[in-house]
Amino acid sequence: GDTFSAYRGDLLLDAALLNGIDIPHDCRSGHCGTCRVRLLDGRVFGGQTEDPEFVRACQCRVVSGLRVAVEDVPEIVTVSGVVADLTSLAPDVCEVCVEAAEPIEYVPGQYYNVQFRGFPARCFSPTAPLDWPSDEGVMRFHIRRLRNGRVSSALGERIRTGHRVTLDG
């Protein structure tokens, strides 16, 4: 029900945010899908998705008057879990599988505030496994190990299978 003004050629996301209209967003490069909105009426240039009813607000430019619908974003939930598996994928990349105490709904573009017990929290975006379908109770993260990283350097050393984890997402 909110309305705002935009100039022809403005990015829809920027115009909305400049006018105090919150459209959820994350990467601002059209990859994550967080800013996807349903185009109800009007024309835009760019930002198309695989579904012709939706556009990426961070990529589409206003061409005419628009009516859009923003999908509801799930509430932030906190879930506890344990590290179920650690797999080295490259010399500096580790796949961390976290088995959650309860099922977690994943939304493309979503990230989680991940806190391994005894370490500071860090934000990571889950990685979709290539072997679909996968276990819905396991969340996978590909984490780059940094030599002096407070968290990443502990993967496989002080953070091992069975380590307790809290996920906020």
Side-chain angles (χ1 to χ4, degrees), residues 3-124:
T3 62
F4 62 92
S5 295
Y7 292 106
R8 181 173 291 164
D10 282 353
L11 284 172
L12 176 57
L13 177 61
D14 290 343
L17 294 174
L18 285 171
N19 284 280
I21 307 297
D22 186 30
I23 294 178
H25 61 284
D26 192 16
C27 75
R28 294 187 65 97
S29 61
H31 297 288
C32 73
T34 304
C35 68
R36 190 178 87 144
V37 297
R38 183 183 302 271
L39 186 59
L40 302 173
D41 190 32
R43 293 185 324 146
V44 296
F45 178 76
Q48 285 74 26
T49 67
E50 61 282 347
D51 185 337
E53 292 184 14
F54 289 88
V55 294
R56 293 177 185 93
C58 74
Q59 297 296 298
C60 70
R61 299 204 175 266
V62 175
V63 174
S64 70
L66 303 174
R67 279 189 337 117
V68 299
V70 178
E71 294 180 337
D72 289 333
V73 177
E75 293 292 321
I76 294 175
V77 295
T78 300
V79 177
S80 62
V82 295
V83 174
D85 193 21
L86 293 163
T87 305
S88 185
L89 301 177
D92 63 341
V93 178
C94 182
E95 179 179 68
V96 179
C97 297
V98 176
E99 187 173 340
E102 56 191 75
I104 302 173
E105 180 183 350
Y106 171 69
V107 178
Q110 181 176 15
Y111 62 89
Y112 289 87
N113 196 28
V114 179
Q115 184 168 20
F116 298 95
R117 187 175 64 160
F119 292 87
R122 296 288 186 263
C123 291
F124 298 110

Side-chain angles (χ1 to χ4, degrees), residues 122-166:
R122 296 288 186 263
C123 291
F124 298 110
S125 184
T127 303
L130 296 176
D131 56 344
W132 284 101
S134 63
D135 185 349
E136 293 179 9
V138 175
M139 190 65 65
R140 290 173 162 86
F141 300 93
H142 288 181
I143 300 175
R144 183 171 179 224
R145 289 186 182 117
L146 301 175
R147 187 172 2 135
N148 296 319
R150 291 179 66 194
V151 176
S152 66
S153 65
L155 295 173
E157 300 294 326
R158 295 183 317 201
I159 298 173
R160 295 183 173 186
T161 302
H163 198 101
R164 292 187 184 170
V165 182
T166 302

